[in-house]
Amino acid sequence: VSAVEFFERLGAVPDVSWRARGQPDSRFAGARPVPRTPAYEGGSQVRWLDVHGRPLAEEWDWRDSPVRLLTERFYELAPRAQLELALAALEVPGTRADYNEALGYAEQASRLQDPPDFEVLEELLWAHANLVLGDPAACVDRYGNLDRVGDPVIALSRLYLLEGFLLEAAAVEMLLEQLPEEAVARYYLGDARPQGLLEALRELA
Amino acid sequence: VSSGREFIHEPPARWPDLHRARRPETLAPYESALGRLLARVLAGEPLVALAPGDGGDDGPARIRLQGLSEEDRAVFARLVVPEADERHVPSGGLDLAAIRLPEVVRREPRWTMSAAGLHSYVELTSLDAVVCVRLIAPLMSDLAYVLRLRAGDGAKSAKGRADRLARCRASHDVLGIERAQIDVLLDPDLRADDVVAARMTLITGWSEYPSNLGERAMALLCGRLAQAYYGKARKDGTVEAARVLTTSVTALLTATLGDWPALVEYLGEEQASADATPVETPKTTLPEEPPPQVAERLQVLREWWAMYDARHAAQRAGLEPLDDLVPIRWDYGAPDENGRRRERLARRALAPELRARIEALWGSQVLERYPEALVHEPRPLGIFAELVQPAAAFWDELSLTAWFSCFGPYSRRSLDQLEAFQRNARQDLADLGAPVDASLYRELAATGAEYPFLLEQQVFAAVEISINLNVDEEGQPTIQSSVGEPRERSHPEAFEALRETITRYRRAWLERYLERYLDELWRRELDRAADAYWKRLRGRGRAPTVKQALPDLRSAAHHWFGADHGELARLLGLKGPITASPAPSPRALPSDLDAVRREVAQRLALAVKANEAGRDPEYDLQRLAQEAWTVLIAWQATGVAPPRSAVYGSSFRWMIEQTFDLDLDQGYRLLLDATRHALEIRDHPAAASMVVE
């Protein structure tokens, strides 16, 4: 069984530019994943140990990474606390798949703030897009599905498109070409595509 | 006063002058109130507050205009506010985002559009809502269009975009506000920061409005009315109200000048003769007894209800559920591994003779595009399905709740939820002269009291998840999990008690009301068809063509006259070309249409694109192949294949792209090729016509 790739925090992932916005949870400092033989079919192939080499969770708990343990309470919280929790989950050790999940939580929470925090959302989506572009296969969900991995790139493009930032939206959409075809749910791109709109503007002008 | 055509020929900046010269004096206070309200919006004041409406958080919201004075509210009271009734709260979309732009841009300059949100769905039952929807939102939507254009929202065609952009510019000109930034925002090379700056300048510039803002706003709305009017008017300036007054124009008219005569006077035109001297139309009198065509269809309906009642009365544990005993209009169910559709109980339950009569009586249709020809209706049971409603849905809800509550896997509602859920359906039946005795629910509740599970809240999609934890021989923990079918329920005694009650009430209802219900069904539909036709004729001042009149009669003819609109029209005493019967087409279709569809699907499957991202294309293939029938039936009517747009409209674009990586035209050619192939095997004459004209 090969070693498990993990990172101390999201900002440590190559190509991902992320300025810490949450407080790291000291309980998970020095945690690391080790390979293991799944205890049951479909079970986790990774066990997380704390700095002392003790398992972070019970043997049969498949949600045992620091990121996943931290975000377990996500849906019990109010939007403000949801965002704080999700941002904190980006500052503990995790794999790309862990950060893929935590970034999804953070993006969702940033939209639910009153008013929504679009500055944070943009930063999150850029970090998320770079995370999946860096190694899409390492970002699959726990069922091994690749088919929604391109979603953060699409979401970033759509965010820019809605504002009329067409050059930026088109540039982001180009990044989708770097992903395997099955990672891009093209339905979510919609009918209005930035490149087509740029051409439409040229015609109108 | 010069002709209102000046609104068309003069530049929009002149509209306020044209309006001032012809507006009725009574409009002045209204314009002032509108001006005060619009000024607050343009200056960025938060004007609109939303609260949950009658439907709670998930339903349309309720609007409150903040800071609207009582005097202005009284002036706006001339607007018509729709009333809610027990079954329906009038509601609709509102471009709240456009109204909020001036407010939002000041606090969120970079993410203005995201923060402003999308369209809102609101109750229209208050004056505040009507003011917002009819007056403020249309004005603000037009002003904001250039921002929507950059976001890809709205019109998709080049002409549509150009037209909307022209409206946007015109709105600025008529309201007297600066519009130079519109051209800046059309620059495709703008970076995000430039867009933000131009947007801010444009929107904050809206607060630099002239003092006569209300008058200008009314000029803009009336100018739009003038455009709608002259878009249809003859050279002499006359046009019938019915030709101009679409739903949106009517809404604009009632919110501004009030009514049609006021608009005609405002424009300095004469009433069209059909409006000035309306054509007299007779009152429709239906015969005492149903005509033979209707009578034989009523007899089939009686027999169907007898079958339906017998099946439900005999239902018991271990038998097939009856959840698809009632036919449905469209059945796009996925086929089995042989490409055949599962035959629904709705079809299987029919005695062969009854099925044959349904196919004979409802097996013809007239296509709206080709109304002269009587052609094959491939789904006669689907047409028949429309005639068993709304009663069948009502009784089905009761019987199926009883069945699924007792035998699972789950019921959509528990027994105690039915009375409230079926309130509207009971009212519909009462309107048809066939009320249901509500004491039925008391009796069901009494049964529920004996079997408490019947009153439990049901989980909508109950599944059973089991997790087993063990320790293996080496002392290591093991875990096994599975997701299974919902736990089986079996409560035959409870079901029989419920079935007995429901059957008793259903039989009493059938015995007492079925005849009245069926009679009301055909009379109401024929009456409405006649009313719609005469209204159309009065609006035009002369008899409409067959194509124009067909929407009024098609459904009734299809239901009760084998699609012969001429026969129906003659019975109703209508005048005009619609009284001519369509001629049966001389072209015969293949006798095995189901097999043709399967073969077309197989042929289409050969073109499915590779690397299809794991999607199973089967459903899409069946749906696309289904349209081979549309092609063939149009061929039966005309002798040629129909245009692509009549078969694969834009709603098919995504499906065709995903399945074949082709555009709509290419996808249609593929369908024609596959259909031609299936026809050539049969040596059918239509094969030669399967080409794009």
Side-chain angles (χ1 to χ4, degrees), chain B residues 514-564:
Chain B
L514 182 64
E515 285 306 316
R516 192 192 298 181
Y517 169 79
L518 293 176
D519 199 54
E520 184 66 22
L521 216 54
W522 74 267
R523 286 182 186 279
R524 180 188 285 208
E525 188 164 21
L526 266 55
D527 261 335
R528 287 180 176 172
D531 287 349
Y533 180 84
W534 287 127
K535 184 179 173 193
R536 190 181 295 276
L537 186 145
R538 284 193 301 271
R540 299 179 59 79
R542 62 180 187 278
T545 64
V546 177
K547 223 175 218 180
Q548 287 164 343
L550 200 56
D552 303 330
L553 271 74
R554 185 168 181 256
S555 176
H558 214 171
H559 286 155
W560 303 107
F561 288 84
D564 185 344

Side-chain angles (χ1 to χ4, degrees), chain B residues 8 23 131 140 153 197 397 412 518 533-534 680:
Chain B
I8 310 302
R23 69 169 174 198
V131 170
M140 296 306 296
D153 203 4
E397 188 71 42
R412 289 185 294 187
L518 293 176
Y533 180 84
W534 287 127
E680 281 170 350

Side-chain angles (χ1 to χ4, degrees), chain B residues 408-490:
Chain B
Y410 61 87
S411 171
R412 289 185 294 187
R413 267 162 282 281
S414 61
L415 214 54
D416 50 334
Q417 294 171 328
L418 280 176
E419 182 169 6
F421 176 76
Q422 292 194 298
R423 191 180 61 180
N424 289 350
R426 282 199 309 281
Q427 189 59 51
D428 289 342
L429 290 176
D431 291 350
L432 283 159
V436 175
D437 183 353
S439 59
L440 161 68
Y441 300 104
R442 308 293 99 70
E443 287 200 37
L444 293 177
T447 307
E450 290 177 43
Y451 303 96
F453 69 90
L454 291 171
L455 304 179
E456 290 167 4
Q457 287 285 332
Q458 304 282 317
V459 178
F460 183 73
V463 292
E464 188 168 279
I465 301 173
S466 64
I467 299 176
N468 296 316
L469 301 176
N470 283 303
V471 178
D472 67 13
E473 291 168 356
E474 295 171 3
Q476 293 297 311
T478 63
I479 185 167
Q480 287 180 315
S481 65
S482 64
V483 178
E485 290 296 311
R487 195 172 59 247
E488 280 191 16
R489 289 166 170 244
S490 184

